[in-house]
Amino acid sequence: MKITEAKVIITSPGRNFVSLKIYTDEGLYGVGDATLNGRELSVASYLKDHIVPMLAGRDPHQIEDIWQFLYRGAYWRKGPVTMTAISAVDMALWDIKAKAANMPLYQLLGGKSRSGVMVYGHANGDSIEETVDEVGKFLNDGYLAVRAQTGIPGLKSTYGVSKDKMFYEPADSDLPSENEWSTTKYLDSIPKLFDTLRNTYGNEPHLLHDVHHRLTPIEAARLGKDLESFRMFWLEDAVPAENQAGFRTIRQNTVTPLAVGEIFNTIWDCKELLEEQLIDYIRTSVVHAGGITHLRRIADFASLFHVRTGCHGATDLSPICMGAALHFDLWVPNFGIQEYMRHSEETNAVFPHSYSFKNGYLYPGETAGHGVDIDEKIAAKYPYKRCYLPVNRLEDGTMWNW
Ligand code: GCO
Ligand code: MG
């Protein structure tokens, strides 16, 4: 089999998605997600201008060799743009290989390790009371695990609290909107939220929370301690993680489980975190961390250190990424949980897929490949619209982490 051509498809059914479609001389094609929220066109150009011209004529079955060619061959290694582009190629090639074998992708990875993939949903509200009600709705819908984010008294807006509760969307503006942050106000609110949640729903539901990179290690250690009796499933992105050693302070001071990695793009971003057992869940995704090929390498390394997977699955990762992630999750021995932030009806129509939700679990389906396609006619109805994530400032105006 030979690759004949590849095409980059940009569509914006409510938010921007970049996809790569790779065609072969045997009539089979594969699709991969190439979406990098807020920087979408840079990956589209990387693919169109620099990768697509090198694909024609290659054997699509040589996934590993093509991965190494694109990674080593760029000379400039790593980085979100390069790695998202490589991920898209990798996802599309695994799709082709599985279609050629006439098997769902998980079979090629080693088969099922479990019957379904436990997912967590996103509940949020302006106040603790509203957030508690929203968590209840997810539990009623059958979710076994829910992430809870709440508005902070005294702050106009904060990460994770949305107007539309069902299809929450953080990138909403053609120029970055500005949020305001106070660590003192935040640290005061969050333990009250989880105290109320445990009093209302007991200890059984898994509860998660995303700090979204806003604390220092010592502040994160304090929050972890304050949350200990509420038995969190995880505390996510407690600090920015460029300095992996920073996690030592958090780790030495709390037994609250730690998750990190949605913005990592290679194994090098988490090597120290894993080797030193500084985290419990690694959140690297199929789309931003080098596709199935590289994610598998990260997960295997993590398994040596009791670290489980918890792949990023926000709405800015397209259904193609979700489909591929579910096959990975069904196989990966050290699976922890999968994030599942529901896509809108418009998005689902552009990306017909075989995965489905039931009683807290997602199932990838038995379609050959990763089970997600792109309907180009519907996709063409939604042209690209520039859209940024917000930024964040302290109350005195100092730039902070969003
Ligand atoms: C999450 C994430 C998202 C990101 C978004 C950025 O845990 O799902 O933190 O909400 O902010 O994916 O593009
Ligand atoms: Mg997050």
Side-chain angles (χ1 to χ4, degrees):
M1 202 183 331
K2 291 257 177 298
I3 295 174
T4 48
E5 57 171 328
K7 185 160 84 179
V8 176
I9 303 163
I10 305 174
T11 180
S12 191
R15 60 146 310 98
N16 293 316
F17 295 109
V18 180
S19 311
L20 178 71
K21 190 165 177 181
I22 299 182
Y23 299 84
T24 67
D25 59 356
E26 295 188 13
L28 291 177
Y29 65 85
V31 292
D33 181 16
T35 310
L36 185 62
N37 202 6
R39 297 293 185 271
E40 295 88 356
L41 299 185
S42 55
V43 185
S45 158
Y46 194 108
L47 284 166
K48 256 189 293 205
D49 299 328
H50 303 293
I51 287 190
V52 167
M54 299 189 292
L55 291 179
R58 289 179 195 277
D59 177 354
H61 280 305
Q62 292 188 352
I63 301 177
E64 185 67 48
D65 183 65
I66 293 176
W67 195 98
Q68 298 292 340
F69 181 89
L70 296 175
Y71 182 81
R72 293 169 196 264
Y75 185 66
W76 314 105
R77 295 181 185 207
K78 309 190 286 179
V81 176
T82 298
M83 296 310 292
T84 302
I86 294 178
S87 301
V89 174
D90 190 79
M91 248 179 276
L93 294 181
W94 277 105
D95 193 25
I96 291 170
K97 193 186 269 300
K99 283 174 175 167
N102 197 23
M103 282 182 180
L105 172 55
Y106 71 80
Q107 295 290 18
L108 273 63
L109 300 176
K112 284 187 193 182
S113 300
R114 54 196 56 78
S115 54
V117 172
M118 183 171 73
V119 296
Y120 69 90
H122 279 212
N124 67 84
D126 285 328
S127 63
I128 290 181
E129 293 64 39
E130 196 189 350
T131 307
V132 172
D133 285 352
E134 290 297 321
V135 169
K137 290 181 192 164
F138 278 88
L139 298 176
N140 281 338
D141 285 350
Y143 283 79
L144 306 169
V146 187
R147 184 188 98 154
Q149 307 292 134
T150 191
I152 310 296
L155 295 183
K156 283 195 289 296
S157 56
T158 194
Y159 166 77
V161 182
S162 60
K163 282 176 230 100
D164 185 339
K165 301 289 175 231
M166 272 290 274
F167 303 110
Y168 156 61
E169 181 47 70
D172 56 0
S173 180
D174 74 333
L175 284 175
S177 62
E178 304 223 344
N179 278 28
E180 186 191 26
W181 180 249
S182 157
T183 294
T184 314
K185 289 175 178 143
Y186 171 78
L187 287 180
D188 197 41
S189 273
I190 297 306
K192 290 178 194 156
L193 168 67
F194 286 93
D195 191 14
T196 318
L197 283 169
R198 283 297 181 216
N199 281 327
T200 314
Y201 301 116
N203 278 337
E204 198 164 322
H206 297 305
L207 296 178
L208 300 81
H209 180 70
D210 190 347
V211 182
H212 223 258
H213 324 272
R214 283 148 197 235
L215 300 178
T216 64
I218 200 71
E219 291 162 353
R222 146 82 44 225
L223 179 61
K225 270 189 149 170
D226 287 350
L227 292 175
E228 259 167 28
S229 60
F230 311 128
R231 308 184 196 181
M232 304 290 293
F233 187 91
W234 79 34
L235 187 64
E236 174 183 336
D237 285 342
V239 296
E242 289 97 328
N243 175 17
Q244 298 181 41
F247 276 75
R248 288 188 203 133
T249 305
I250 316 175
R251 199 60 162 174
Q252 282 155 10
N253 284 289
T254 179
V255 295
T256 291
L258 302 173
V260 68
E262 66 183 40
I263 69 167
F264 295 174
N265 46 71
T266 69
I267 200 165
W268 299 102
D269 294 330
C270 48
K271 180 174 172 285
E272 207 175 328
L273 291 172
L274 297 172
E275 277 172 344
E276 293 192 33
Q277 308 193 35
L278 299 178
I279 57 169
D280 301 280
Y281 296 92
I282 182 70
R283 280 181 49 69
T284 39
S285 67
V286 184
V287 59
H288 298 136
I292 296 275
T293 299
H294 195 65
L295 194 61
R296 190 164 64 170
R297 211 147 271 153
I298 295 176
D300 276 342
F301 186 59
S303 75
L304 304 182
F305 306 104
H306 309 279
V307 176
R308 289 182 282 171
T309 63
C311 291
H312 188 202
T315 40
D316 49 284
L317 285 64
S318 92
I320 299 174
C321 172
M322 181 56 78
L326 291 172
H327 287 269
F328 174 83
D329 294 337
L330 205 63
W331 157 73
V332 69
N334 48 326
F335 172 72
I337 199 165
Q338 168 69 50
E339 180 178 16
Y340 176 45
M341 203 174 162
R342 293 164 293 199
H343 287 108
S344 67
E345 289 307 314
E346 291 78 11
T347 299
N348 286 333
V350 173
F351 299 99
H353 52 260
S354 62
Y355 60 79
S356 58
F357 174 86
K358 199 174 170 213
N359 297 334
Y361 293 90
L362 274 174
Y363 299 88
E366 295 297 317
T367 314
H370 56 47
V372 189
D373 207 342
I374 179 160
D375 184 321
E376 294 187 55
K377 274 210 187 86
I378 306 184
K381 292 202 296 194
Y382 303 108
Y384 168 79
K385 231 176 116 207
R386 193 182 63 209
C387 200
Y388 288 101
L389 287 165
V391 297
N392 206 16
R393 291 184 188 276
L394 301 182
E395 287 166 295
D396 69 357
T398 309
M399 271 302 295
W400 199 242
N401 317 312
W402 182 74

